[in-house]
Amino acid sequence: MMTPEQNFMRKIEAEEKIEPKDWMPEAYRQNLIRQISQHAHSEVIGMQPEGNWITRAPSLRRKAVLLSKVQDEGGHGLYLYSATETLGVKRADLIAAMQSGEAKYASIFNYPTQTWADIGAIGWLVDGAAIVNQISLQRTSYGPYSRAMIRICKEESFHQRQGYELMIALAHGSPAQKAMAQDALNRFYWPALMMFGPHDAESAHSAKSMTWKIKRETNDDLRQKFIDQTVPQIEFLGLVHPDQDLKWNAERGHYDSGEIDWKEFYNVINGNGHCNRQRVEHHIRAHEEGAWVRDAMTAYNAKQRAKTTE
Ligand code: FAQ
């Protein structure tokens, strides 16, 4: 007879998904709540940098594409909050933890979007980095998270393509447009590498998350994939690679990279990036302005329940 713990590890080893009603170690549950809720917060906060450009998109086509992309990100946040709620927590508590600064969201969304080219760079590099990570997470051991990732990746690949297509238009446009594309690449390249988190040796949660198959590949391995795939994309655009130390390493079969500015990374994740305060304040304001919608839904649900129990 197996103990619940042994049965849990048997399922993990056999690549069977863990479902909400299955027994799971408390630390597994807590680690999932932490990661999935932070992922949800990232999707929702991630609407702000691009939302900033919806009213200023240069054509109706670009505006429709951007509007639709930003709406998708909101939808991803909702699936991910629902996936987190299957672990026995309330969405309102998760949101309160993000608003108080107790729970993090991806560092990248604390950088400002200064020009229209930044919208291209975000789709190409930020969604591109998110996909590399999320493809791997499609095989995560927790069923609801894994299924959410499959759908989200389909939408993210459209996001990545629209961003790259925008960059092609700028990079092959006038000299001023090409310069704008280069500037956006220079500003977003390093923060995109930071999205994969600290080096494996510094990553507090990785070892446990890999054993439990919450994460399937390490921070450094995923970052390397992204670095390697981005080099030919930069070449195709005819832009200059922002990493002066980048070199092909034939022995490893990968590019060697310059070092990330970890001081900047920790500064941003600890709340002191360029836009941290602005992002959270905006979220709180929008949340408060939407209180009447939540109140109306609660009242409606109470009325419906009263009707069915009459
Ligand atoms: N930013 O021990 P680790 C998107 C924190 S989706 C902020 O390595 P872990 C779509 C980490 O949370 C982007 N914090 O942690 C989109 C932990 O803090 P804690 C979001 C970071 O969990 C596109 C501490 O540092 N994607 O972009 C970051 O094993 C465009 C120690 O780190 C996901 O969330 C960071 N970059 O590995 C939307 C994917 N890195 O909790 C709109 C799912 C680390 O102890 C527009 N998440 N930290 O206080 C993951 O894969 C993992 O959670 C990692 C971090 C890889 C992010």
Side-chain angles (χ1 to χ4, degrees):
M1 191 58 184
M2 275 191 215
T3 63
E5 177 109 44
Q6 284 167 335
N7 192 36
F8 169 82
M9 280 317 295
R10 178 198 61 75
K11 282 192 201 157
I12 297 276
E13 270 143 38
E15 298 287 325
E16 281 176 34
K17 296 294 177 216
I18 306 298
E19 295 298 337
K21 289 188 176 156
D22 294 346
W23 185 91
M24 60 185 84
E26 185 53 22
Y28 174 86
R29 199 174 72 87
Q30 290 302 337
N31 200 6
L32 276 173
I33 293 171
R34 181 193 65 80
Q35 177 167 327
I36 311 175
S37 65
Q38 294 193 6
H39 195 164
H41 302 326
S42 306
E43 300 279 358
V44 171
I45 293 284
M47 296 165 81
Q48 291 186 41
E50 288 169 293
N52 181 33
W53 279 87
I54 291 172
T55 55
R56 292 178 283 163
S59 69
L60 185 59
R61 173 176 166 263
R62 291 285 181 205
K63 184 168 175 151
V65 170
L66 184 58
L67 193 57
S68 154
K69 185 214 188 270
V70 172
Q71 280 177 335
D72 284 353
E73 306 299 359
H76 297 172
L78 299 186
Y79 309 148
L80 288 167
Y81 282 125
S82 297
T84 324
E85 284 183 303
T86 64
L87 292 156
V89 282
K90 289 205 178 77
R91 186 180 307 200
D93 294 338
L94 301 173
I95 291 174
M98 188 269 284
Q99 291 182 339
S100 72
E102 192 191 320
K104 298 186 172 73
Y105 57 84
S107 48
I108 188 80
F109 302 119
N110 293 306
Y111 291 82
T113 39
Q114 296 173 353
T115 72
W116 173 247
D118 291 7
I119 301 306
I122 289 181
W124 168 36
L125 299 172
V126 176
D127 285 272
I131 295 171
V132 168
N133 186 343
Q134 291 172 163
I135 287 200
S136 172
L137 287 172
Q138 289 178 342
R139 292 185 299 117
T140 188
S141 56
Y142 189 56
Y145 193 25
S146 157
R147 291 187 286 276
M149 284 297 101
I150 293 167
R151 174 154 180 196
I152 288 175
C153 279
K154 289 194 178 132
E155 295 181 348
E156 300 282 34
S157 61
F158 153 72
H159 298 168
Q160 196 271 349
R161 275 154 195 266
Q162 67 81 36
Y164 194 60
E165 195 253 351
L166 201 166
M167 288 303 275
I168 293 174
L170 291 175
H172 296 172
S174 68
Q177 287 172 319
K178 188 169 181 182
M180 209 201 283
Q182 181 70 57
D183 172 59
L185 167 61
N186 294 349
R187 282 182 291 106
F188 277 91
Y189 180 76
W190 293 104
L193 296 193
M194 294 177 198
M195 288 175 70
F196 296 94
H199 280 315
D200 296 346
E202 314 292 326
S203 164
H205 303 289
S206 276
K208 215 56 195 155
S209 291
M210 293 292 288
T211 311
W212 282 330
K213 299 188 180 168
I214 291 176
K215 283 163 78 166
R216 304 305 306 255
E217 287 170 273
T218 70
N219 297 0
D220 284 328
D221 286 350
L222 291 168
R223 183 169 19 243
Q224 183 72 61
K225 263 191 196 165
F226 177 74
I227 290 169
D228 291 348
Q229 81 175 32
T230 304
V231 173
Q233 295 170 349
I234 294 176
E235 277 167 10
F236 182 78
L237 291 173
L239 298 179
V240 179
H241 201 294
D243 183 353
Q244 316 272 316
D245 298 323
L246 188 92
K247 236 202 255 127
W248 176 249
N249 182 329
E251 211 174 291
R252 289 199 314 121
H254 292 291
Y255 283 93
D256 288 337
S257 221
E259 197 45 278
I260 289 170
D261 181 349
W262 292 109
K263 205 166 139 244
E264 175 179 322
F265 170 76
Y266 286 108
N267 198 33
V268 175
I269 71 169
N270 289 325
N272 301 314
H274 203 89
C275 299
N276 293 59
R277 263 174 225 108
Q278 183 187 330
R279 300 293 185 234
V280 173
E281 275 167 22
H282 183 87
H283 190 281
I284 293 173
R285 203 165 51 246
H287 194 66
E288 283 169 358
E289 281 169 7
W292 69 271
V293 180
R294 292 188 295 280
D295 291 346
M297 284 176 70
T298 311
Y300 177 78
N301 285 337
K303 260 193 198 163
Q304 294 301 105
R305 255 197 312 276
K307 264 192 206 157
T308 52
T309 51
E310 260 167 21

